[in-house]
Amino acid sequence: MIAGQGLPADLLVDRLQTLGSQAVHKRCGSYTGLVDVYEGRANATLVHLYDQRTNSYNIPYVQRLAPGTPVMVFRLVKRWQGFVVAKGNPRSIASWGALLRDDVRLANRRRGCGSRILLDEKLIAMEADPWTVKGYESDFPTGLSAARAIADGLADVAVVGEQVAAQTDGVDFVRLQPEWLDIVAAKGGRGRELCRALREFFDDSAFRREYARIVQGDAESLGAIVYEC
């Protein structure tokens, strides 16, 4: 069981299946996926979780949400998070502080996903009450659904990955922050086989090229082990 959302997880599951594995993909947010690894419901999860206190990605959450769990964290790709806005950015939304304006309405993401956690961490850094953000109470299940809300004029801005904006007509993307997408794999039980398989995938130059091409991120560090316990 590999948890997480999107194409980067699908590609890994598909590769495992072609090798005879009964791997399955559970679609969920990064936070939920990491809890699933800790509680033994998943063997691995893709994560992109920003920690404001350390200004870093993923490892602080692994340490807090999966304490005492032997894991390996493999780097996947570097991507961009930011704002999806209407074509031409008519409201000139270009910074986190713009979300506090009265004329800006947010299409918010579901709790537990990496984009929502990034937003909440940035609001904390600004010492802003999130409930003063218009649309904060909204709950879009995916980045694509939030981006479509912008394209349809139902809201002015959503926090998504650049790859999501690229799949949506009628919108522009404002880059705000690079992020790291990693995969956290438990080493216990069947996880040993998975960790070995992941190492083999990432050592395969043909797989690395294909993965980078399809995921459309900076895959220079693909397969690097950035944390292990």
Side-chain angles (χ1 to χ4, degrees):
M1 173 79 73
I2 295 181
Q5 286 189 344
L7 184 61
D10 286 333
L11 294 173
L12 294 175
V13 170
D14 289 347
R15 179 64 179 260
L16 288 165
Q17 290 174 345
T18 62
L19 298 178
S21 168
Q22 294 181 332
V24 294
H25 180 192
K26 177 184 177 181
R27 296 184 179 276
C28 63
S30 295
Y31 186 100
T32 300
L34 196 49
V35 172
D36 282 346
V37 169
Y38 176 64
E39 296 188 347
R41 292 189 295 267
N43 302 104
T45 186
L46 275 68
V47 293
H48 59 118
L49 295 168
Y50 176 68
D51 180 67
Q52 179 70 30
R53 286 176 293 180
T54 60
N55 191 33
S56 64
Y57 270 87
N58 302 328
I59 293 172
Y61 287 90
V62 173
Q63 294 169 333
R64 293 199 295 263
L65 296 180
T69 304
V71 298
M72 296 182 73
V73 181
F74 296 90
R75 185 123 289 171
L76 293 180
V77 295
K78 184 180 182 181
R79 311 185 301 187
W80 281 92
Q81 281 278 329
F83 294 154
V84 60
V85 296
K87 201 71 174 176
N89 196 4
R91 296 198 184 275
S92 300
I93 303 169
S95 68
W96 295 104
L99 300 179
L100 307 180
R101 288 169 24 197
D102 290 338
D103 65 336
V104 171
R105 183 168 184 83
L106 173 71
N108 207 358
R109 296 292 310 284
R110 184 159 292 174
R111 289 185 183 275
C113 77
S115 296
R116 170 64 177 266
I117 288 173
L118 172 63
L119 167 66
D120 288 337
E121 290 283 274
K122 292 300 183 180
L123 291 174
I124 288 173
M126 292 189 294
E127 299 183 350
D129 179 353
W131 297 103
T132 64
V133 177
K134 289 187 175 181
Y136 183 81
E137 73 285 354
S138 58
D139 183 8
F140 287 85
T142 66
L144 279 173
S145 63
R148 290 191 190 106
I150 309 306
D152 293 340
L154 302 177
D156 303 302
V157 63
V159 181
V160 301
E162 187 171 25
Q163 72 283 358
V164 173
Q167 299 174 53
T168 309
D169 294 330
V171 300
D172 283 337
F173 183 73
V174 179
R175 283 185 171 185
L176 289 179
Q177 177 164 310
E179 69 168 6
W180 290 106
L181 178 68
D182 297 331
I183 182 168
V184 181
K187 295 194 291 187
R190 296 291 300 276
R192 294 188 184 90
E193 300 172 27
L194 177 58
C195 288
R196 184 165 55 251
L198 290 173
R199 280 179 156 174
E200 291 175 0
F201 295 170
F202 299 142
D203 285 340
D204 183 338
S205 58
F207 176 80
R208 290 170 61 89
R209 287 193 301 271
E210 185 69 0
Y211 195 85
R213 182 185 68 81
I214 296 175
V215 174
Q216 297 182 333
D218 180 350
E220 183 177 351
S221 300
L222 178 65
I225 298 172
V226 294
Y227 179 76
E228 183 174 5
C229 66

